Amino acid sequence: MRITPPENKKVSVERISLRSLRKEMTRQEWWALALLMAAGLGIRVWFGRQYAGFVSDQELFVQWMNQVREYGLGSVYLHNGGINYPPLFLWLLHGYGAVLQLLGITAAPGSLSYKSILILLDMLALLAVTWWSAGRADQRLRWMVLAGFALNPALIVNSAVWGQVDILNGMLMAGSILLLLASPLGAGILFALALLTKLQSIIIAPVLGWYVLRELASKRFRPLLWIVIGICIPFAGISLYFAGYGGLGAMLRAAYLSAVGMYTQVTMNALNIWYYLVGTAPITSDTVRLWGVISLRSIGFLLLFMAVIYAGIYLWKLRTINTAALLKAGVWVSFAFFMLPTEIHERYSIPALVLLLFTVILDRKWIGLATLLSLTITYNLWQVVNSQLQITGGILVTCLHVIALLWMAVLMLLELRNNRTDIPPVSNNRSY
């Protein structure tokens, strides 16, 4: 296979973005952004006040917030082994709790006093997308995607209603992929931060891995070195911090090891293939063995492994790898992670949606998928958070999700046929 050398202008393209944001946005566009942010904020505040959301989750988060303030982040896992989230979210809760204390406010589950931190993360995500997208798409498409972040019902329900933090690890996952070509060190750092937010972020590791393998095939070793260094920096700091308090082992057990196999249902309300589509009720244990040979859990992992291989073939066979291709592979493996393994929660679709919205900025062919999944994921979240999930509607949405997964595979295959490594490469200095 032939691998095109790295683009000479990758870094310069990334550096242009901030200047482009200042120079290319007119006064009217700044007003439009302000109105978009105001609309997104207003809708989230209204929904956050109107609907309590998934109170049991929020009760845990508020409890953890108080315990971090009482025992300190380094010792909190020693006092509560049931905290099954990595420390970055706890650190944010700790800081948010300190601000609330200064303001004389007590965080209460089901209210804006807790949800405001999640709404703030949504608004910061919108600003980050605005900065990154400057100069990378025509204006109409760009503002469509910005509206997709600000007003996306799935993102609104997940944060302002449910009270979950998936937007944070979703954005960190996206940032890792976006930086991979221009700054492997930065990509490694953001990947580590995503893992320090939620373990499920590990699903983009194959995207980084396939890119590294392709670089190694061309005897370029620096990307691997920088990615590894980037991953080690946050984890080394966190490890030393918790070790200093004697809580490193407790943190690793609670935040990472205990999360695997905690639930044994084939699906935790995720409308994926295990929701009746393959003949299993959601409450079916994934330890059940098919023909007495292989468990349903193992079948799910095998299907996910096949999806990872498909992503690898896509990235390996492409004539050139650019940011758009990496994002598409990220969307594919993230949504496959939602659709194929067992024990998946409904909220695990959010990172795939975030990556998909970034992808649309670089390739408008994926806009139909973004629209479809924005609606179906909203349905999945809304029905679950309100305890209204019906079998018929759930099966219909599950079928739409299968169609979306196949749709992604077809789009990648068509691109692969037109951009294979056996076609003479065309010079392209654009990293996006």
Side-chain angles (χ1 to χ4, degrees):
M1 59 181 288
R2 299 181 63 182
I3 300 178
T4 305
E7 299 92 328
N8 295 327
K9 298 183 180 180
K10 278 191 277 192
V11 176
S12 62
V13 169
E14 297 298 328
R15 291 175 178 169
I16 286 174
S17 185
L18 187 57
R19 295 200 300 270
S20 298
L21 183 62
R22 292 197 297 260
K23 292 181 179 180
E24 294 186 9
M25 287 187 64
T26 63
R27 180 177 298 180
Q28 290 79 7
E29 287 171 331
W30 281 110
W31 277 110
L33 177 61
L35 290 174
L36 195 58
M37 291 193 66
L41 178 61
I43 292 172
R44 283 167 172 79
V45 169
W46 187 88
F47 272 94
R49 295 184 62 181
Q50 192 75 14
Y51 300 96
F54 209 88
V55 177
S56 60
D57 273 2
Q58 297 176 46
E59 287 175 342
L60 282 176
F61 299 150
V62 172
Q63 177 189 356
W64 298 349
M65 179 194 302
N66 295 330
Q67 289 178 334
V68 171
R69 291 188 56 75
E70 180 180 358
Y71 303 116
L73 180 60
S75 303
V76 69
Y77 290 98
L78 292 170
H79 293 87
N80 185 354
I83 299 178
N84 56 2
Y85 273 50
L88 184 57
F89 181 46
L90 297 185
W91 177 75
L92 289 175
L93 289 178
H94 175 63
Y96 180 62
V99 172
L100 292 183
Q101 186 178 44
L102 288 175
L103 298 175
I105 300 173
T106 301
S111 71
L112 286 176
S113 59
Y114 162 69
K115 296 178 183 178
S116 293
I117 180 63
L118 307 171
I119 294 174
L120 175 62
L121 289 175
D122 275 1
M123 295 297 98
L124 292 176
L126 175 59
L127 289 176
V129 177
T130 303
W131 168 74
W132 176 81
S133 63
R136 283 184 166 83
D138 66 77
Q139 291 291 68
R140 181 177 300 180
L141 179 62
R142 181 188 181 216
W143 284 99
M144 187 180 301
V145 175
L146 292 179
F149 270 94
L151 308 176
N152 194 291
L155 301 182
I156 293 171
V157 171
N158 187 68
S159 58
V161 177
W162 193 298
Q164 268 288 353
V165 71
D166 300 276
I167 186 65
L168 178 57
N169 59 295
M171 288 296 293
L172 290 171
M173 292 162 65
S176 179
I177 293 176
L178 294 175
L179 284 179
L180 187 54
L181 295 180
S183 175
L185 175 66
I189 292 174
L190 291 187
F191 178 54
L193 292 177
L195 288 174
L196 289 169
T197 304
K198 283 201 172 183
L199 176 59
Q200 294 81 13
S201 305
I202 192 68
I203 192 56
I204 65 165
V207 178
L208 277 63
W210 284 115
Y211 167 72
V212 165
L213 285 176
R214 184 162 162 158
E215 291 293 286
L216 291 177
S218 295
K219 299 182 179 180
R220 291 191 289 267
F221 303 99
R222 287 188 178 181
L224 173 61
L225 177 63
W226 286 118
I227 289 173
V228 171
I229 292 174
I231 293 173
C232 288
I233 290 173
F235 274 107
I238 286 292
S239 298
L240 290 173
Y241 175 80
F242 278 94
Y245 288 89
L248 178 58
M251 184 274 285
L252 293 175
R253 285 191 299 272
Y256 294 101
L257 301 180
S258 68
V260 180
M262 178 179 294
Y263 306 99
T264 59
Q265 294 177 209
V266 289
T267 175
M268 299 298 297
N269 296 314
L271 295 180
N272 57 24
I273 64 169
W274 301 102
Y275 188 84
Y276 294 106
L277 202 62
V278 294
T280 55
I283 61 172
T284 303
S285 173
D286 66 353
T287 59
V288 171
R289 292 186 174 274
L290 187 64
W291 303 306
V293 177
I294 184 171
S295 68
L296 299 180
R297 182 185 300 175
S298 297
I299 293 174
F301 279 124
L302 181 60
L303 291 173
L304 180 60
F305 176 74
M306 294 170 63
V308 168
I309 294 299
Y310 184 75
I313 294 172
Y314 168 74
L315 291 176
W316 189 266
K317 288 292 185 180
L318 282 176
R319 178 179 34 168
T320 57
I321 287 185
N322 54 23
T323 301
L326 293 169
L327 280 172
K328 292 167 189 175
V331 174
W332 165 258
V333 294
S334 296
F335 195 59
F337 175 72
F338 171 76
M339 287 295 297
L340 303 177
T342 58
E343 306 181 15
I344 297 299
H345 290 258
E346 61 291 303
R347 297 171 285 98
Y348 293 0
S349 56
I350 293 295
L353 179 60
V354 171
L355 291 171
L356 182 54
L357 290 172
F358 274 100
T359 302
V360 171
I361 294 177
L362 303 183
D363 190 344
R364 63 174 62 247
K365 296 186 185 73
W366 290 65
I367 194 170
L369 274 167
T371 303
L372 174 62
L373 290 186
S374 294
L375 297 175
T376 56
I377 291 172
T378 301
Y379 176 88
N380 195 171
L381 295 174
W382 185 259
Q383 295 299 101
V384 173
V385 77
N386 290 290
S387 301
Q388 296 175 347
L389 186 58
Q390 301 295 320
I391 295 177
T392 303
I395 293 176
L396 175 60
V397 171
T398 298
C399 292
L400 292 175
H401 282 163
V402 171
I403 292 172
L405 188 65
L406 295 174
W407 189 352
M408 293 177 192
V410 170
L411 287 176
M412 293 166 67
L413 180 61
L414 291 176
E415 182 178 355
L416 196 58
R417 292 179 62 183
N418 296 325
N419 191 15
R420 298 189 307 272
T421 55
D422 56 356
I423 300 175
V426 176
S427 176
N428 181 8
N429 287 326
R430 297 171 63 186
S431 66
Y432 55 91

